[in-house]
Amino acid sequence: EPEVTQTPSHQVTQMGQEVILRCVPISNHLYFYWYRQILGQKVEFLVSFYNNEISEKSEIFDDQFSVERPDGSNFTLKIRSTKLEDSAMYFCASSEEGVKNIQYFGAGTRLSVL
Amino acid sequence: AQKVTQAQTEISVVEKEDVTLDCVYETRDTTYYLFWYKQPPSGELVFLIRRNSFDEQNEISGRYSWNFQKSTSSFNFTITASQVVDSAVYFCALSEPYSKLTFGKGITLSVRP
């Protein structure tokens, strides 16, 4: 069964460093999303991406965040200068066009900022 | 703005008991989708079910059943004859078509042997 793949599973970084979280969405999906979940809290939307551009973003997704689809398979989230409060689980999701509109999630990347 | 409320925070049951997880939502959209996701201790988010705003037909799938009522803006989820493997955090979520998911805070379900 096709699945969303995220790497790495755990990323440890120093405050102020740049990190890139990687995602390979399901191959025939056209809508891509990033969410984050601070430990013990609810899942929060960051950004959605369609047709090679951001379609929606939340207040959390400020100038230190960016997304990119560098090739036909990868979808990345970059945090330019990490802060302690960026420590969270980051989930990538994708969905196909059409009536199904179900977002399937990857296993997540746990980001720890020290 | 969309909002999802899961008033229950933690539920503990003994194996084989039935358990219902409540979800109440708010939206001004006429077309929307409702979802339940499961987050087991391993951390991934697993899709369980989607309902659209025009489909109030309730469904039973094995030990799972869902009760969608637009009149009360509720989308409740029942597990019949619970098992230890059902222990997880369960999230209710809401979205417009092709848009972000708005999640509730989640309900931690513990099923004791």
Side-chain angles (χ1 to χ4, degrees), chain B residues 95-110:
Chain B
S95 80
E96 300 172 46
Y98 304 111
S99 186
K100 66 180 185 290
L101 289 165
T102 298
F103 285 85
K105 291 185 177 180
I107 302 167
T108 300
L109 174 64
S110 299

Side-chain angles (χ1 to χ4, degrees), chain B residues 31-45:
Chain B
T31 301
Y32 53 89
Y33 297 99
L34 292 162
F35 302 80
W36 278 96
Y37 283 86
K38 174 182 178 180
Q39 187 174 42
S42 49
E44 71 270 27
L45 284 165

Side-chain angles (χ1 to χ4, degrees), chain A residues 48-71:
Chain A
S48 58
F49 194 85
Y50 172 72
N51 201 25
N52 287 317
E53 60 182 26
I54 291 173
S55 48
E56 194 174 5
K57 61 182 180 179
S58 71
E59 293 177 352
I60 303 169
F61 194 87
D62 60 22
D63 291 344
Q64 70 160 341
F65 291 93
S66 62
V67 289
E68 193 177 41
R69 188 155 164 81
D71 54 42

Side-chain angles (χ1 to χ4, degrees), chain B residues 1-4 26-29 32 94-96 100 102:
Chain B
Q2 298 185 332
K3 185 178 178 182
V4 175
E26 296 175 30
T27 181
R28 287 178 288 186
D29 300 311
Y32 53 89
L94 167 68
S95 80
E96 300 172 46
K100 66 180 185 290
T102 298

Side-chain angles (χ1 to χ4, degrees), chain A residues 4-9 11 19-25 31-37 42-50 53-61 65-70 73-79 88-95 103-111, chain B residues 45 99-103:
Chain A
V4 177
T5 305
Q6 289 187 244
T7 55
S9 57
Q11 175 88 48
V19 295
I20 297 177
L21 309 183
R22 303 182 190 280
C23 170
V24 178
Y31 297 83
F32 313 116
Y33 308 84
W34 283 101
Y35 295 82
R36 80 172 186 189
Q37 184 183 31
K42 69 177 179 180
V43 181
E44 301 174 291
F45 168 76
L46 292 177
V47 65
S48 58
F49 194 85
Y50 172 72
E53 60 182 26
I54 291 173
S55 48
E56 194 174 5
K57 61 182 180 179
S58 71
E59 293 177 352
I60 303 169
F61 194 87
F65 291 93
S66 62
V67 289
E68 193 177 41
R69 188 155 164 81
S73 58
N74 289 284
F75 179 51
T76 62
L77 174 69
K78 181 192 290 185
I79 309 175
M89 180 74 92
Y90 288 81
F91 290 103
C92 174
S94 68
S95 65
Q103 293 183 30
Y104 293 95
F105 286 77
T109 293
R110 179 164 299 284
L111 177 65
Chain B
L45 284 165
S99 186
K100 66 180 185 290
L101 289 165
T102 298
F103 285 85

Side-chain angles (χ1 to χ4, degrees), chain B residues 55-67:
Chain B
D55 179 10
E56 286 193 76
Q57 181 178 350
N58 295 311
E59 180 176 321
I60 297 174
S61 175
R63 296 186 297 110
Y64 299 158
S65 61
W66 294 268
N67 186 347

